[in-house]
Amino acid sequence: MSKPLPIAVLVSGTGTNLQALLDSVHGHEAQVVAVASGAPGALALERAAAHGVPTAVFERAVYADREARDGAMAGWLVERGARLVVLAGYMELLTFVFLERFPGAVINVHPSLLPAFPGLHAIKQALAYGVKVFGVTVHFVDAGVDSGAVISQQALELPDAREPDEVLQALRPLEHALLPGAVRLVARGALGIDPNNPRRVTVAPASVEAP
Ligand code: GRF
């Protein structure tokens, strides 16, 4: 197998998606070389430390503006050798200052079938709308809110769901499979962009080894 892809993970909260990455691709197709957050108390940071992964906190209040914070954070991730940045429950928007350091190399997991319900309250909004099918999207990150090209999606029928937490718990296993799956695709260089439609991500089939 080729060398693991060095990845960084940005987190803000409990870090179950980070845990899924640590338990699946870490040390195999990918190596988590850095975990960063804007939130000092994030449980996700403890999960990283428990795996011996270096962590750092870049609190917005410490910097003059978001750009200054993003520049410092991107600089640290570049220093750590990250080649892909994975947003795993990172609840802040990244500025151009960050994105230009990792062109085409930032991905995010979102708990809806985009373009439906972008933003911070996806599950609540889907419930309020009365949808019967929920889902998860992994997508490239651009400067907009959950607006980058879609890498993978999975739907889940929950016609009787009433509570956001019930939906979140049901979507968790989908997120925890889809996000590592997308990292694997990046690691094997399988993702491309359709020359006729820059919104369409192409996936090269896995090569089949001769018996
Ligand atoms: C996930 O539902 C993810 O889709 C959203 O934030 C949540 C993060 O959960 N962007 P966790 O911190 O990975 O447990």
Side-chain angles (χ1 to χ4, degrees):
M1 202 174 74
S2 52
K3 253 179 99 204
L5 175 72
I7 68 172
V9 184
L10 300 189
V11 294
S12 301
T14 55
T16 64
N17 281 284
L18 168 65
Q19 192 67 55
L21 292 167
L22 291 168
D23 293 342
S24 57
V25 292
H26 183 55
H28 302 280
E29 296 92 338
Q31 188 71 25
V32 182
V33 295
V35 171
S37 180
L43 175 61
L45 294 169
E46 288 174 33
R47 295 181 190 266
H51 280 257
V53 176
T55 63
V57 175
F58 297 86
E59 267 186 281
R60 164 66 192 86
V62 172
Y63 297 89
D65 51 28
R66 288 171 57 215
E67 284 77 7
R69 190 272 300 273
D70 281 5
M73 189 161 68
W76 184 64
L77 302 185
V78 168
E79 251 171 52
R80 299 281 319 141
R83 302 247 316 279
L84 173 74
V85 179
V86 180
L87 310 192
Y90 184 66
M91 298 306 191
E92 301 179 55
L93 277 182
L94 289 171
T95 60
F96 190 66
V97 169
F98 187 98
L99 294 173
E100 71 180 1
R101 301 290 291 273
F102 293 95
V106 184
I107 67 173
N108 179 44
V109 60
H110 182 76
S112 79
L113 294 172
L114 291 171
F117 313 117
L120 286 180
H121 307 292
I123 294 177
K124 253 190 177 163
Q125 289 171 358
L127 277 169
Y129 196 91
V131 303
K132 307 291 185 210
V133 180
F134 296 77
V136 170
T137 303
V138 177
H139 63 93
F140 282 112
V141 172
D142 62 15
V145 178
D146 300 320
S147 54
V150 170
I151 297 170
S152 53
Q153 293 186 300
Q154 197 174 343
L156 182 65
E157 284 189 43
L158 296 170
D160 302 318
R162 295 280 179 280
E163 296 301 325
D165 193 53
E166 178 191 351
V167 177
L168 180 65
Q169 296 315 323
L171 292 180
R172 286 285 195 212
L174 274 61
E175 293 192 335
H176 299 167
L178 229 54
L179 189 58
V183 170
R184 285 192 186 100
L185 291 175
V186 176
R188 76 168 166 87
L191 298 183
I193 297 291
D194 181 340
N196 298 314
N197 177 1
R199 291 240 22 126
R200 196 173 161 276
V201 175
T202 56
V203 181
S207 59
V208 182
E209 306 239 331

